[in-house]
Amino acid sequence: MLKTNAVVFGLLLLAASTFVRANALAVVTNQLSESVSLIDTDSRQVIATIPVPGKPAGVAVTPDGKRCFISTPEAEGFAVIDLMQRKLVQTVNVGPGALGIAVSPDGHKLFVADWYHNSVAVLDTHEFKRLTTINVGESPSGLAISPNNRWLYVANRMSDSVSKIDLADYHVTKTVSVGKHPFGITLDSSGLKLYTANVQSDDVTVLDATTMAVLATVKVNLLPYAATLALNDSRLFVTNQDDGSVSVIDTDTLKEIALLNVGDKPEGIDTHPNDRSVYVANWFDGTVSVVDAKQLKVIDTIKTGEGSRAFGRFITTH
């Protein structure tokens, strides 16, 4: 009996620890108040606010949920936050235009787009040594990395294009024209389709991520900024900055099926690991809207900080 109870107790501890690790954290940059809000997505409450100088903008979280990297354009680099300790632990200089930022699926490499130098810096995530610099189009912004860790996609805002980079040797294999001023980009879970939010043409370009052929152009609303996928990649959610809305696109029909009102000037957007809750950072309101992807409605609004931006993949398990 004692042995059986010990086994049961051990299993309960294992289940409890698994549950803790599965909790999700949203890391939201507040550019104007120069801080980062950490949101516990279970309680939907801000559990910490971390000062980050340099007008924090972009977010990239490590796959293990232990750290995040915050691009700081005015500090010309990025900040490193320890999510376990909930504090800033290091700053790294990269260049004057650091904005878009992404970490590889294996957690070993960090990519930082330099808006002014038309390049992407590649650094290791241990000592932050620069491994190489990749020249791309004008004003690189959004970054996306394939699930197999082989391909990097870069939105070149002022060139109206997207570049595909082979991470085996860091060369650009193809650059294709999309809509006007692409900014946020996202890949589906298979790495086969790429979506770009085109700010000035008010549309989304759908690309075959393998061939880089343009498959479709979908009209959305005013100044689309970024996008995320939910419900097994069946729905694409796109923030429209100038009318405080999120467009919902059916990825099979490539038609807009809903327009949801969120906060003022929505920018960054990401999907919770449950694949159903979508988080939207609202710049003018200093809030985050939580959208139920299945019911297609806003189910909560969380106060964060001034100028909430959260550009990138900003939700992680911890």
Side-chain angles (χ1 to χ4, degrees):
M1 179 64 73
L2 288 175
K3 184 177 181 181
T4 301
N5 287 342
V7 171
V8 170
F9 182 69
L11 290 172
L12 288 173
L13 283 178
L14 178 61
S17 65
T18 301
F19 176 77
V20 169
R21 287 198 299 271
N23 287 349
L25 194 69
V27 182
V28 178
T29 52
N30 306 308
Q31 195 164 35
L32 298 182
S33 55
E34 298 201 311
S35 67
V36 167
S37 297
L38 303 185
I39 299 172
D40 182 309
T41 62
D42 284 344
S43 64
R44 297 189 198 135
Q45 299 290 322
V46 174
I47 57 173
T49 300
I50 303 167
V52 178
K55 302 298 180 187
V59 184
V61 291
T62 57
D64 62 10
K66 293 181 178 179
R67 293 185 297 168
C68 70
F69 308 107
I70 307 294
S71 67
T72 51
E74 289 199 2
E76 301 188 356
F78 61 90
V80 183
I81 292 177
D82 185 316
L83 293 175
M84 301 296 102
Q85 301 181 60
R86 301 178 187 173
K87 69 178 185 180
L88 188 153
V89 294
Q90 189 174 353
T91 58
V92 180
N93 184 272
V94 178
L99 178 60
I101 190 166
V103 65
S104 60
D106 61 10
H108 296 321
K109 294 175 185 175
L110 184 68
F111 302 85
V112 184
D114 191 313
W115 181 272
Y116 297 120
H117 289 167
N118 305 326
S119 63
V120 176
V122 185
L123 303 96
D124 78 85
T125 55
H126 302 289
E127 298 180 353
F128 302 115
K129 291 181 179 179
R130 187 183 292 244
L131 303 175
T132 191
T133 300
I134 308 166
N135 293 321
V136 289
E138 291 183 71
S139 303
S141 47
L143 304 174
I145 305 167
S146 62
N148 66 2
N149 213 42
R150 177 64 187 272
W151 308 101
L152 170 68
Y153 301 86
V154 183
N156 306 305
R157 191 180 192 274
M158 300 308 292
S159 295
D160 300 335
S161 67
V162 173
S163 295
K164 180 179 181 179
I165 296 158
D166 188 336
L167 294 180
D169 56 10
Y170 302 113
H171 82 278
V172 176
T173 62
K174 199 161 190 177
T175 297
V176 298
S177 296
V178 290
K180 192 173 182 182
H181 291 187
F183 198 72
I185 60 177
T186 193
L187 274 166
D188 69 5
S189 58
S190 67
L192 298 179
K193 278 188 181 178
L194 180 71
Y195 301 86
T196 77
N198 306 312
V199 178
Q200 290 297 318
S201 52
D202 299 334
D203 55 26
V204 170
T205 302
V206 185
L207 295 163
D208 180 313
T210 303
T211 65
M212 295 299 284
V214 174
L215 303 176
T217 300
V218 184
K219 200 69 177 174
V220 288
N221 271 48
L222 302 177
L223 304 191
Y225 180 91
T228 190
L229 290 150
L231 300 180
N232 197 30
D233 294 336
S234 66
R235 300 287 183 268
L236 180 74
F237 293 77
V238 183
T239 51
N240 301 304
Q241 288 177 292
D242 264 20
D243 66 349
S245 71
V246 170
S247 292
V248 185
I249 297 167
D250 183 306
T251 58
D252 285 331
T253 64
L254 295 179
K255 303 291 185 184
E256 185 182 78
I257 58 172
L259 187 66
L260 310 176
N261 293 321
V262 288
D264 201 357
K265 206 79 169 181
E267 296 202 343
I269 187 168
D270 199 9
T271 303
H272 189 281
N274 66 15
D275 200 34
R276 177 164 173 169
S277 301
V278 173
Y279 282 64
V280 182
N282 304 304
W283 169 274
F284 278 170
D285 287 354
T287 63
V288 168
S289 299
V290 184
V291 174
D292 185 311
K294 191 171 183 179
Q295 297 182 31
L296 295 179
K297 68 178 185 180
V298 175
I299 56 175
D300 207 348
T301 301
I302 305 163
K303 187 65 181 173
T304 45
E306 190 178 357
S308 294
R309 195 168 188 186
F311 180 46
R313 302 274 72 89
F314 60 87
I315 301 180
T316 183
T317 53
H318 70 292

